[in-house]
Amino acid sequence: MDCLFCKIINREIPADIVYEDDEVLAFKDIDPQAPTHMLVIPKRHIATLNDIEERDLSLVGRLPQTAAKLAKEQGFADEGYRVVMNCNENGGQTVYHIHMHLMGGRRFTWPAG
Ligand code: AMP
Ligand code: ZN
């Protein structure tokens, strides 16, 4: 499958991996938008939020759980952080394997741009 994030999972292209277990992988974003910017992805390929099925629900729940765990471990959970999932063109999705952005270390504005 010609998917950038599946290639990272399969170690076909390098990434700065910060967490891995049987179901999810987290690695540093190559173009960070905050002092800390990581991506948390399921190891199962799911292209967009629109493609999540009933059987994926517990797996998808691991994304915010892992993001919060990483934020705690890296010491910015209490001060706060931003998680984002972009969907399709209007949402700004550029990689079609769902991922949760975890950004910390600065104050974020709302509404999102
Ligand atoms: P999105 O625009 O929500 O689909 O986010 C895709 C993210 O993947 C962007 O923040 C990119 O900077 C990031 N990205 C693209 N290629 C890589 C890569 N090889 N390693 C790490 N992050 C990447
Ligand atoms: Zn994939």
Side-chain angles (χ1 to χ4, degrees), residues 16-37:
D16 196 342
I17 292 169
V18 292
Y19 178 78
E20 178 169 29
D21 62 29
D22 288 348
E23 291 188 307
V24 303
L25 185 73
F27 51 94
K28 292 184 182 171
D29 196 293
I30 205 168
D31 181 21
Q33 303 300 312
T36 301
H37 186 172

Side-chain angles (χ1 to χ4, degrees), residues 9-98:
I9 292 164
N10 295 328
R11 305 301 201 271
E12 291 167 33
I13 64 167
D16 196 342
I17 292 169
V18 292
Y19 178 78
E20 178 169 29
D21 62 29
D22 288 348
E23 291 188 307
V24 303
L25 185 73
F27 51 94
K28 292 184 182 171
D29 196 293
I30 205 168
D31 181 21
Q33 303 300 312
T36 301
H37 186 172
M38 295 172 277
L39 301 172
V40 186
I41 69 172
K43 286 190 168 175
R44 184 189 302 155
H45 179 88
I46 302 169
T48 80
L49 280 172
N50 295 336
D51 301 303
I52 293 169
E53 298 176 11
E54 194 75 25
R55 66 169 187 144
D56 302 319
L57 295 183
S58 72
L59 173 60
V60 172
R62 299 292 315 283
L63 303 181
Q65 179 193 39
T66 303
K69 170 187 154 70
L70 290 169
K72 287 174 197 163
E73 283 176 4
Q74 300 199 15
F76 60 87
D78 287 344
E79 66 191 28
Y81 52 93
R82 176 67 54 86
V83 294
V84 174
M85 293 182 80
N86 298 322
C87 183
N88 282 337
E89 194 175 346
N90 274 4
Q93 185 173 8
T94 58
V95 178
Y96 283 78
H97 178 132
I98 61 166

